[in-house]
Amino acid sequence: MRDWKGVSMNKAITDGLLLMPPEFANGLDVWSSEDGVPGSAIYEGAANAALVSADQDFGGCLELSKTAVTQKLRYKGQTPILPGCYLRVTARVKAISGNLPDVRIAAWAGDGGGGHVSGLAETGAATTLTAYGQVETVSAIIGTGARSGVDMAWGTAPIYAHVGLDLTGPTGGVVRIDDLVVEDITSAFLRTMMDWVDVTDFGAAGDGVTDDRAAFEAADAAAAGRSVLVPAGTYYLGDHVTFENKVRFEGTVAMPLAARLTLTRNFDLPSYIDAFGDELEGFKRALAVLFNYSDHDSLDMKGRRLDIDQPVDVQAAVANKDTYAIRRVLRNGQINAVASGNWNTDVHTSQASYSTSNPLQLTGVSNVANIPVGSLVEGLGVGREIYVLGKNAGAGTLTLSKPLFDAAGTQTYTFRRFKYLLDFSGFASLDRFVLSDMELQCNGEASGVMLAPAGLIFHMRDCFVTKPKDRGITSIGTGCQGMLIDRCQFLSNEQTQRAQDRTSIALNVNANDSKIRDNRVVRFAHFGVWSGSGHVITANHWFQGDNETAGIRQAGVVLTSTNVKTTITANYIDNSSIEWTNEHDEAPDHSNEYSFGGLTVTGNIFTVNDVAPWFRWMVVKPVGPGHYIHGFNMSGNAFKAVNGDVDRVDMVDTTYADLDRGRMRNVTVGGNAFTGVTQVIANPVMLQFDVNTDVATWNCDFAGFLPFDGRARNAVSVVAEGAVQDGVGAVVAAMPYAKVEKGANKSEIQLVWPSPCHGRVNVTARMDNAT
């Protein structure tokens, strides 16, 4: 008789589950006097059990005599226990005669294999019967979550129960028991209209010790498009957990370093910070997932500012990979360096030997174990931006990113390991990593990014690198192959210093094919140092001036290879020069090799202000003799000096060696505009010469006009303007012949006429061979 109950059985309705035990009137063969498991004793035919058909309170019911200390009543059928579901078991009981017992709801917890799940609460609170004929209602709630009001919180290990009740206390009493009711009251804990599920409803303990992974996975499976809530607490997850639904964290998780928390529907930095309760830890955990989950190409920081007081070793955060070649993006946020001793540069000095026969190695390195990979190498004969690429502590050797140009023998080197906000050097190889819409706020504490030793197509776009302590982007190997830097701003931490006192560098490139476009670079020692070839440097604005009158200016772009195959086009080159060297060559003397060539400098705006007159915009600096220029185009540029003229735009820096001007070829300099420049240059160059006295040999001097103090190697044309006349006024119709490379500097062309004469000629000369 169940008319009184008004039962709401949600799972029975929605999922077709059978929760309610049968009425006693249907037979006592399914009711056990033990735990209800198969083979346990039943009440069918028992001397202490009888059916009553017409009780005035219950209608049909069971009359039971208490003959045991704990008189058990269990339904032998399996009542399902589902994750996130809460069942209330209710019985109405009254005493008929004899001793008055205590009554409590009880159940037996069973696992998937039919075994008992021990260690759980399997009884509810007891009620004492106090009078004969008085109906008492007892109930208890069974569920997977340890919520307030749940009497038997079982977690997810049990999947079914044998439900019933216990009579405890003195024996000898007789009671009548109405049919048991089992109802789904999940809605009392979670309203059915809620768009989330709670991990604690699936057995999560949140004590920081219990492994709650199974509960998290069960909650995610039950969510079915709703969100999952992780309430307050600390939840230990012993292995990987992947959520297919959105997750909201009020509590935090703790996981082994090798374990990953994958949030497929809210894969963003704020979610990971919420999950781990710490900005840096959340960032590292999110990076680990970025490199391990194929459904997301990017980690969105959601505009979040990440304050860190130590470098982020990206490979260590990922932990399980040292190579990666799938496009991944870190986007939309700021990484901010907080003052800390963790940013201090590691400085070591060690004696080592160098041989040109092994140009990428230092040998016999003292204290080699102390020298970090990624250290900048400094010493006599060491070019700019050479780094330690690897080391062999046992052999006492260091592998270098580039050769040394004049360091053969043994000397003491200095090694400086800068610290970077993002350090990828732990990877052996990394391809196609992108930083997009990021600000690296270095604050004069840290450098920006160190690339992996090898890799293709690192891309930084629409980013700011603000106040790096030493470097913006550092390549210690070939991880810069095909590097793309687009629409970024590099803002120096040394803007108030004199140009010659600055040491920071925005970027360096060791490999080939970089594309550096539309960037703005403010007051570094150098915009960049480029080795390799095939570079495109276009539409950038870099400026390196200071407030000093007649000041010194340093190179903005430094090219360290001879045959560079590079274009520098449509840039605004402000208060800095282009310097072209071969300082990354272990045998810098010219031999059977290409010399300086393959450089195109076109359509740029060059300007300086308040500089000494000996400043130059285009500087070639060979570090070994015998070199020359073959293949150089500097056309269509605008050169302007403000607040004081400069002597000329070009020079050869002969600190180490001069160029062989007798081998120049294929040099084009023309169509440039000069303002505030004392000496214009061109090649070929046309000059007008007036000879007013009758001489047979006319000396036409092109000194100063030819680029790089070139020789007058070829006479391209000689055109008389007006009549050339002899001493009596007769027109000289014969053509002269030309002698080239005359004069002390070989800058003259001599025109030799058949007889003495005078007049005006326009002579075009070249300082090279055109082919």
Side-chain angles (χ1 to χ4, degrees):
M1 178 178 176
R2 297 180 179 169
D3 296 340
W4 63 272
K5 292 135 186 133
V7 177
S8 172
M9 294 180 291
N10 301 329
K11 287 293 182 180
I13 294 171
T14 59
D15 297 343
L17 297 177
L18 183 61
L19 300 178
M20 194 76 76
E23 297 178 359
F24 293 127
N26 291 338
L28 300 180
D29 57 337
V30 296
W31 293 95
S32 171
S33 59
E34 297 176 338
D35 290 324
V37 298
S40 61
I42 59 176
Y43 280 107
E44 181 74 27
N48 65 333
L51 292 173
V52 176
S53 60
D55 182 87
Q56 63 180 4
D57 295 309
F58 301 151
C61 65
L62 171 65
E63 185 174 282
L64 190 62
S65 297
K66 186 175 185 306
T67 58
V69 175
T70 299
Q71 189 74 46
K72 294 182 178 181
L73 174 69
R74 301 288 188 275
Y75 172 47
K76 295 189 70 173
Q78 295 182 354
T79 299
I81 304 298
L82 302 178
C85 186
Y86 294 84
L87 303 180
R88 182 166 60 195
V89 182
T90 304
R92 295 202 299 164
V93 183
K94 64 181 178 181
I96 301 299
S97 63
N99 293 324
L100 296 173
D102 296 333
V103 184
R104 67 191 182 193
I105 297 298
W108 183 89
D111 62 21
H116 182 231
V117 181
S118 62
L120 302 177
E122 294 181 288
T123 60
T127 298
T128 301
L129 302 183
T130 59
Y132 301 117
Q134 180 176 319
V135 177
E136 298 284 355
T137 300
V138 295
S139 66
I141 297 174
I142 306 171
T144 54
R147 285 180 169 272
S148 177
V150 176
D151 301 280
M152 296 176 239
W154 284 1
T156 56
I159 67 169
Y160 69 91
H162 293 303
V163 299
L165 56 76
D166 290 338
L167 300 175
T168 62
T171 60
V174 177
V175 298
R176 286 183 180 178
I177 305 167
D178 196 6
D179 297 324
L180 265 65
V181 173
V182 179
E183 55 185 325
D184 179 3
I185 62 162
T186 303
S187 60
F189 295 93
L190 303 172
R191 298 201 321 266
T192 56
M193 295 302 293
M194 287 291 187
D195 63 351
W196 46 263
V197 297
D198 189 325
V199 294
T200 60
D201 292 318
F202 298 84
D207 58 10
V209 178
T210 304
D211 190 346
D212 290 323
R213 185 167 61 95
F216 274 49
E217 291 172 343
D220 183 54
R226 294 177 292 170
S227 295
V228 177
L229 171 66
V230 179
T234 301
Y235 299 83
Y236 176 71
L237 306 176
D239 206 343
H240 306 308
V241 172
T242 297
F243 278 99
E244 301 296 342
N245 299 279
K246 287 186 178 180
V247 190
R248 178 163 58 92
F249 292 90
E250 294 177 356
T252 59
V253 300
M255 304 178 76
L257 289 176
R260 294 184 296 276
L261 177 67
T262 303
L263 309 178
T264 64
R265 293 296 179 267
N266 50 319
F267 182 66
D268 55 64
L269 180 60
S271 295
Y272 278 87
I273 293 174
D274 290 345
F276 289 91
D278 180 84
E279 287 190 343
L280 180 56
E281 183 68 13
F283 181 59
K284 290 179 179 179
R285 297 290 186 158
L287 286 174
V289 175
L290 178 65
F291 280 85
N292 280 278
Y293 189 66
S294 60
D295 274 10
H296 290 100
D297 75 333
S298 62
L299 172 60
D300 191 346
M301 293 182 66
K302 294 285 188 180
R304 187 74 174 252
R305 182 175 112 168
L306 177 68
D307 292 330
I308 60 175
D309 64 356
Q310 59 185 279
V312 176
D313 184 335
V314 180
Q315 191 279 329
V318 175
N320 65 332
K321 291 177 172 61
D322 60 8
T323 63
Y324 201 78
I326 301 172
R327 178 179 177 269
R328 286 292 179 264
V329 183
L330 178 63
R331 68 170 77 249
N332 189 26
Q334 181 187 84
I335 302 177
N336 183 61
V338 177
S340 165
N342 295 322
W343 303 116
N344 293 342
T345 300
D346 294 333
V347 181
H348 300 276
T349 57
S350 294
Q351 189 179 76
S353 298
Y354 182 75
S355 172
T356 57
S357 63
N358 195 1
L360 294 178
Q361 192 171 87
L362 291 178
T363 61
V365 183
S366 60
N367 301 317
V368 64
N370 295 327
I371 299 171
V373 170
S375 297
L376 178 72
V377 184
E378 297 175 339
L380 298 175
V382 179
R384 284 163 285 195
E385 296 304 277
I386 293 178
Y387 290 88
V388 175
L389 184 57
K391 68 179 178 181
N392 185 328
T397 60
L398 295 175
T399 301
L400 305 176
S401 60
K402 287 292 176 181
L404 312 184
F405 71 90
D406 188 21
T410 300
Q411 63 170 299
T412 297
Y413 294 88
T414 299
F415 302 91
R416 301 183 190 275
R417 182 51 160 94
F418 306 134
K419 304 298 177 64
Y420 295 78
L421 293 177
L422 295 175
D423 193 331
F424 295 91
S425 63
F427 288 96
S429 177
L430 178 62
D431 293 353
R432 291 179 279 181
F433 192 84
V434 181
L435 291 175
S436 178
D437 294 289
M438 294 288 297
E439 180 172 12
L440 303 181
Q441 184 63 259
C442 301
N443 296 324
E445 296 286 336
S447 293
V449 178
M450 177 172 278
L451 304 184
L456 298 171
I457 322 299
F458 172 82
H459 190 185
M460 180 182 283
R461 65 190 185 205
D462 303 303
C463 295
F464 280 70
V465 181
T466 305
K467 296 187 175 182
K469 178 182 178 183
D470 297 293
R471 299 294 185 268
I473 302 173
T474 293
S475 175
I476 64 169
T478 58
C480 53
Q481 178 73 37
M483 181 168 72
L484 308 174
I485 309 295
D486 294 311
R487 302 179 304 278
C488 295
Q489 293 216 43
F490 295 82
L491 307 176
S492 167
N493 190 51
E494 300 179 302
Q495 296 188 41
T496 61
Q497 297 187 28
R498 299 185 307 172
Q500 64 266 33
D501 297 332
R502 298 173 191 149
T503 60
S504 61
I505 297 174
L507 60 88
N508 77 292
V509 180
N510 293 318
N512 302 324
D513 305 331
S514 71
K515 309 295 185 294
I516 314 297
R517 300 168 294 205
D518 303 306
N519 303 288
R520 183 174 181 269
V521 184
V522 182
R523 291 193 171 187
F524 287 81
H526 305 303
F527 170 14
V529 177
W530 278 261
S531 188
S533 64
H535 305 300
V536 175
I537 304 171
T538 185
N540 304 283
H541 183 188
W542 65 91
F543 42 100
Q544 296 175 201
D546 57 26
N547 299 321
E548 188 175 40
T549 302
I552 296 172
R553 298 292 181 261
Q554 300 196 84
V557 167
V558 179
L559 305 173
T560 67
S561 302
T562 51
N563 193 263
V564 292
K565 195 180 66 175
T566 289
T567 63
I568 302 175
T569 304
N571 300 282
Y572 192 152
I573 302 172
D574 189 336
N575 278 279
S576 65
S577 60
I578 298 171
E579 183 177 338
W580 193 5
T581 84
N582 62 324
E583 64 190 61
H584 289 166
D585 186 349
E586 75 278 10
D589 298 3
H590 183 262
S591 57
N592 187 24
E593 61 186 316
Y594 289 121
S595 195
F596 288 90
L599 178 60
T600 299
V601 181
T602 56
N604 300 284
I605 299 169
F606 290 86
T607 187
V608 292
N609 59 282
D610 295 304
V611 297
W614 40 260
F615 168 80
R616 303 290 184 266
W617 277 289
M618 184 70 220
V619 180
V620 179
K621 184 179 181 179
V623 296
H627 284 280
Y628 54 95
I629 297 175
H630 68 109
F632 172 66
N633 184 346
M634 187 169 71
S635 304
N637 303 286
F639 297 92
K640 184 175 183 179
V642 181
N643 296 333
D645 293 352
V646 298
D647 295 336
R648 58 187 297 125
V649 303
D650 63 315
M651 70 173 289
V652 179
D653 185 332
T654 59
T655 300
Y656 295 97
D658 205 346
L659 291 176
D660 183 348
R661 292 174 176 78
R663 299 185 67 181
M664 301 285 200
R665 60 187 176 93
N666 194 20
V667 174
T668 300
V669 177
N672 299 296
F674 302 92
T675 304
V677 179
T678 303
Q679 175 65 67
V680 302
I681 60 169
N683 187 62
V685 61
M686 188 276 289
L687 296 181
Q688 188 176 87
F689 296 94
D690 290 307
V691 177
N692 298 317
T693 58
D694 293 321
V695 290
T697 299
W698 294 7
N699 294 317
C700 302
D701 193 352
F702 291 84
F705 291 93
L706 295 172
F708 305 111
D709 295 322
R711 301 175 183 176
R713 295 186 63 202
N714 285 284
V716 177
S717 66
V718 178
V719 177
E721 184 176 319
V724 175
Q725 298 174 320
D726 60 16
V728 296
V731 174
V732 178
M735 285 293 295
Y737 66 87
K739 294 181 179 180
V740 299
E741 297 189 70
K742 297 301 181 179
N745 297 317
K746 299 186 177 181
S747 61
E748 297 179 9
I749 292 176
Q750 292 181 346
L751 300 181
V752 182
W753 300 87
S755 60
C757 54
H758 66 275
R760 171 180 289 178
V761 290
N762 294 319
V763 183
T764 300
R766 296 189 68 100
M767 45 78 74
D768 64 333
N769 287 333
T771 58

